[in-house]
């Protein structure tokens, strides 16, 4: 029987995107231990990860290690390498930071599911420095040096992975650019059964996200304030007050809501608005599962989850003029958007399909490894369409 271990960057930010992927991996590999830099158990009460066996790094016990773990970024590469995984045949890492860099032996299989190469070290490096006000000065220089060495480490550790999986074709392209390695696309699981697509649509628009700069909630709120159209905003985060200051009387900022409240609003909204350049973007898929058309920025993972003129409308630039045009086009064509058709499109992202495809990928990779063949080639040529 294959002995497997799961690796996650951290388990301290709630049960959201990468954590939901990890839970489905655990369903395929039940009882497997999880190794992670830090763990905040109270964030996972009532979730499939609540009773998982979790091993943490030394950062867990450092001052404010759990609450402010990002401050320890310079130490994360070293700490992820300290996990002793010699007892396992198969290592599965779920990585958007450092977990793909775990040390593995020649006889072990390492499959790494990449949500994104480290964005603030690669693609968003200059944007991160600007938004953090780290373009000049001593602190800025130190941060740039740290990120420089993280890039070197991150690139070198690509050789520790047998098989790369990507959460979208967009991320697969970035994996190739960053590591010069091909990746098999395996879309993340979305719990479509949470949503009801049969309810009547109402007159308000909806958006939902963390209040951080790249999500562009300020753009959405400013646009709808200018248009005077009703908009409901769900979420919280560092930019909440900034966005609130832009909101007119037609904007309702509801803060964070539970899953039931979110599903209710998605099932009733006129359309869901999404302005981020996402690697995949689970929230737009959830909106489509609720039968809601999506007005989305036409870049990145959005192009793989939204179908133009069938499940939504794209806008080409992250500015008020472009978003305003897209809203106008949507309202002109609103009659052509059918909730049942939109829901059917979202069905392809069901968790059951993710589990079936992930299990098939693991089996193909393990068989290839055991027979002395190339696991990467076995996975890249595997037929998954019927699963």
């Amino acid at each position: 029987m294959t002995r497997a271990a799961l690796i996650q960057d951290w388990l301290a930010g709630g049960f959201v995107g990468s954590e939901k992927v990890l839970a489905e991996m655990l369903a395929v590999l039940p009882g497997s231990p999880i190794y992670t830099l830090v763990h905040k158990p109270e964030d996972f009460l009532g979730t499939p990860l609540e009773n998982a066996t979790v091993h943490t790094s030394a950062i867990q016990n450092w001052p404010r290690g759990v609450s402010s773990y990002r401050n320890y970024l310079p130490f994360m590469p070293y700490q992820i390498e300290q996990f002793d995984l010699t007892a396992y045949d198969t290592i599965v890492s779920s990585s958007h930071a450092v977990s793909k860099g775990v040390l593995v032996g020649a006889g072990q299989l390492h499959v790494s599911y990449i949500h994104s190469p480290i964005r603030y070290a690669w693609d968003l490096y200059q944007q991160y420095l600007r938004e953090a006000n780290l373009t000049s000065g001593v602190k800025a220089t130190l941060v740039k040096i740290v990120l420089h060495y993280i890039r070197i480490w991150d690139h070198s550790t690509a050789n520790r992975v047998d098989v790369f999986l990507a959460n979208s074709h967009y991320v697969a392209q970035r994996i190739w650019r960053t590591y010069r390695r091909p990746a098999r696309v395996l879309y993340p699981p979305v719990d479509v059964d949470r949503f009801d697509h049969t309810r009547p649509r109402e007159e308000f628009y909806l958006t939902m996200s963390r209040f951080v700069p790249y999500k562009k909630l300020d753009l959405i709120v400013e646009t709808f304030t200018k248009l005077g159209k009703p908009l409901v905003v769900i979420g919280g985060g560092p930019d909440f007050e900034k966005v609130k200051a832009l909101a007119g009387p037609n904007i309702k900022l509801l803060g964070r809501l539970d899953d039931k409240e979110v599903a209710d609003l998605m099932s009733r909204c006129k359309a869901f608005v999404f302005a981020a350049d996402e690697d995949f973007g689970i929230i737009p898929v959830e909106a489509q599962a609720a039968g809601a058309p999506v007005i989305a920025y036409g870049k990145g993972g959005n192009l793989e989850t939204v179908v133009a003129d069938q499940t939504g409308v794209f806008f080409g630039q992250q500015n008020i003029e472009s978003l305003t045009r897209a809203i106008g086009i949507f309202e002109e064509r609103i009659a052509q958007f059918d909730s049942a058709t939109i829901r059917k499109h979202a069905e392809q992202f069901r968790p059951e399909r993710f589990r079936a495809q992930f299990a098939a990928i693991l089996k193909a990779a393990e068989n290839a490894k055991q027979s002395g063949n190339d696991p990467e080639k076995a996975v890249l040529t595997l037929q998954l369409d019927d699963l």
Side-chain angles (χ1 to χ4, degrees):
M1 181 177 180
T2 299
R3 297 165 298 172
L6 296 166
I7 320 298
Q8 178 82 359
D9 294 307
W10 46 76
L11 288 171
F15 190 61
V16 287
S18 66
E19 290 79 9
K20 291 180 179 179
V21 171
L22 183 69
E24 296 300 332
M25 291 176 171
L26 188 60
V28 175
L29 298 167
S32 297
I34 299 170
Y35 290 79
T36 188
L37 292 171
V38 295
H39 180 213
K40 189 177 180 182
E42 56 267 35
D43 282 355
F44 301 95
L45 298 176
T47 77
L49 299 179
E50 179 179 359
N51 297 313
T53 301
V54 179
H55 302 280
T56 59
S57 73
I59 297 175
Q60 180 83 13
N61 300 313
W62 290 0
R64 302 186 67 188
V66 177
S67 62
S68 301
Y69 55 88
R70 288 182 175 86
N71 292 338
Y72 291 113
L73 176 64
F75 303 95
M76 288 181 181
Y78 173 79
Q79 288 296 330
I80 206 74
E81 292 178 343
Q82 301 315 302
F83 290 131
D84 182 359
L85 304 175
T86 54
Y88 307 103
D89 305 304
T90 297
I91 311 299
V92 178
S93 57
S94 169
S95 182
H96 50 76
V98 298
S99 69
K100 87 169 199 331
V102 291
L103 295 176
V104 295
Q108 294 174 298
L109 173 71
H110 182 190
V111 176
S112 188
Y113 189 94
I114 303 294
H115 303 276
S116 171
I118 310 174
R119 296 203 76 173
Y120 42 85
W122 295 103
D123 297 66
L124 296 184
Y125 174 66
Q126 297 296 342
Q127 180 181 330
Y128 165 75
L129 294 176
R130 287 194 302 271
E131 291 172 351
N133 195 26
L134 292 170
T135 55
S136 62
V138 175
K139 184 178 180 182
T141 300
L142 291 174
V143 170
K144 291 175 184 178
I145 291 171
V146 168
L147 292 177
H148 170 73
Y149 282 103
I150 283 180
R151 280 193 294 274
I152 294 172
W153 176 86
D154 187 41
H155 184 270
S156 70
T157 58
N159 291 324
R160 301 175 188 177
V161 177
D162 293 294
V163 177
F164 277 104
L165 304 178
N167 68 357
S168 67
H169 290 282
Y170 183 49
V171 168
Q173 291 170 358
R174 290 172 51 224
I175 289 171
W176 175 257
R177 185 174 66 245
T178 306
Y179 308 131
R180 283 297 186 264
R181 291 283 300 277
R184 181 66 187 256
V185 175
L186 176 60
Y187 287 126
V190 180
D191 185 7
V192 299
D193 288 338
R194 282 177 48 211
F195 303 94
D196 180 3
H197 70 283
T198 64
R199 298 175 66 184
R201 313 314 302 186
E202 299 180 16
E203 283 302 309
F204 67 92
Y205 290 84
L206 178 68
T207 190
M208 173 180 168
S209 181
R210 287 188 66 236
F211 283 61
V212 292
Y214 88 94
K215 297 291 189 178
K216 299 297 181 181
L217 283 173
D218 54 343
L219 165 63
I220 297 173
V221 167
E222 194 170 359
T223 300
F224 274 85
T225 296
K226 182 178 178 181
L227 294 174
K229 296 181 183 294
L231 174 71
V232 174
V233 183
I234 304 171
D239 281 1
F240 186 87
E241 292 302 323
K242 174 186 174 183
V243 173
K244 183 179 179 180
L246 298 170
N250 56 308
I251 311 294
K252 292 184 179 179
L253 292 105
L254 302 184
R256 293 184 176 91
L257 301 179
D258 63 33
D259 285 351
K260 186 176 180 180
E261 292 170 314
V262 169
D264 172 64
L265 288 166
M266 284 185 171
S267 71
R268 295 188 288 116
C269 69
K270 187 174 186 177
F272 186 84
V273 186
F274 195 73
D277 175 3
E278 281 285 13
D279 303 315
F280 173 74
I282 285 179
I283 295 176
V285 178
E286 292 180 333
Q288 291 171 89
V294 176
I295 301 172
Y297 178 44
K299 189 176 179 182
N302 297 335
L303 294 173
E304 299 177 49
T305 60
V306 179
V307 181
D309 297 324
Q310 181 177 325
T311 72
V313 173
F314 291 117
F315 57 97
Q317 296 180 319
Q318 290 173 313
N319 59 42
I320 292 175
E321 294 74 21
S322 186
L323 177 53
T324 298
R325 283 195 298 271
I327 294 167
I329 291 170
F330 166 72
E331 293 192 340
E332 289 173 2
R333 302 176 183 176
I334 191 169
Q336 75 185 46
F337 294 102
D338 174 64
S339 290
T341 301
I342 295 171
R343 166 62 180 238
K344 184 177 180 181
H345 172 67
E347 293 276 348
Q348 66 179 298
F349 301 103
R350 281 185 164 276
E352 296 86 349
R353 189 178 191 193
F354 175 90
R355 289 196 294 267
Q357 293 185 340
F358 179 62
I361 286 169
L362 281 185
K363 183 177 180 181
E366 288 170 348
N367 288 343
K369 186 79 172 181
Q370 291 168 6
S371 60
N373 295 320
D374 183 3
E376 182 175 83
K377 183 177 180 180
V379 169
L380 291 173
T381 57
L382 182 64
Q383 297 298 315
L384 294 175
D385 293 341
D386 295 333
L387 295 178

